[in-house]
Amino acid sequence: MEYSRPVWDDYFMAIARIVATRSTCDRLRAGAVLVKDNRIISTGYNGSPASQPHCDSEAGHLMEEGHCVRTIHAEHNAILQAAIVGGLSTDGATLYTKSSPCIHCAKYIIAAKIKRVVIGKFYRCEQVIEILRSAGIVVDIYKENPGWNARIQQIFGSEIEKMPSKEGAVILETIQPPVL
């Protein structure tokens, strides 16, 4: 297979899909990546706040009007992570999200001054896209790239590539920690 370097949207959406695997709510495994100047500033997935019981392994779902309210959504978690780390402005950032945000997350996105949202798949509330756009936010629906998807499957279906040795170069396969 010929090497295929992904465009930024393919790259960051692939990362959002990987981030979603950390989700602790099995009703929807969502993931988000917050990016500024093509650099990741934070990630988020839907799950319970730190130190609180999780839906899918400990406490079950806490349902309210058909929604699980035990978790913080992926988009909200990405914005919160940027705030917690500190020194990371979300003003002008792009948010990649595996599923379209809910109305509450749309409000957080607007308040955080995010300029663009790239949505992997549409989920539930049809008004969200209109609300985001009315706030001046560019909303793009991600167009899957079949060639990139095949490359991702190939990457994760094979061993980690070993770099070819150049004359005189020593390539270490593992680094052992010092014995104390």
Side-chain angles (χ1 to χ4, degrees):
M1 176 178 277
E2 185 178 319
Y3 181 78
S4 172
R5 184 173 189 227
V7 298
W8 289 116
D9 283 356
D10 291 335
Y11 176 75
F12 292 123
M13 190 57 72
I15 293 170
R17 292 167 72 177
I18 291 168
V19 169
T21 65
R22 291 283 305 154
S23 172
T24 62
C25 185
D26 55 6
R27 289 177 50 88
L28 177 68
R29 301 216 185 266
V33 178
L34 197 51
V35 174
K36 193 164 183 180
D37 299 323
N38 289 329
R39 287 175 172 60
I40 296 170
I41 60 174
S42 66
T43 63
Y45 52 87
N46 58 330
S48 299
S51 78
Q52 297 300 301
H54 298 295
C55 296
D56 63 359
S57 63
E58 299 168 2
H61 300 286
L62 179 58
M63 300 301 291
E64 190 175 283
E65 296 178 14
H67 300 280
C68 179
V69 296
R70 184 176 307 283
T71 64
I72 299 172
H73 292 180
E75 302 86 352
H76 194 183
N77 261 330
I79 293 167
L80 289 171
Q81 185 184 78
I84 290 167
V85 170
L88 302 173
S89 173
T90 58
D91 189 355
T94 297
L95 180 73
Y96 290 85
T97 182
K98 186 178 165 205
S99 303
S100 56
C102 72
I103 189 74
H104 301 292
C105 288
K107 293 183 287 185
Y108 308 143
I109 290 165
I110 293 166
K113 297 184 178 182
I114 291 167
K115 71 172 181 180
R116 181 176 179 236
V117 177
V118 180
I119 297 169
K121 297 284 183 192
F122 181 76
Y123 181 73
R124 291 194 184 189
C125 184
E126 296 177 16
Q127 295 172 309
V128 167
I129 293 172
E130 183 181 315
I131 291 167
L132 291 170
R133 287 182 174 155
S134 73
I137 297 170
V138 174
V139 179
D140 292 320
I141 306 301
Y142 175 69
K143 292 176 181 59
E144 290 206 35
N145 177 338
W148 175 239
N149 285 345
R151 175 74 176 124
I152 288 288
Q153 290 176 359
Q154 188 266 333
I155 289 168
F156 284 98
S158 63
E159 297 277 329
I160 294 175
E161 297 172 332
K162 291 184 181 178
M163 298 303 297
S165 177
K166 294 184 180 179
E167 276 190 27
V170 176
I171 296 180
L172 301 176
E173 292 190 23
T174 55
I175 300 172
Q176 299 295 324
V179 177
L180 301 176

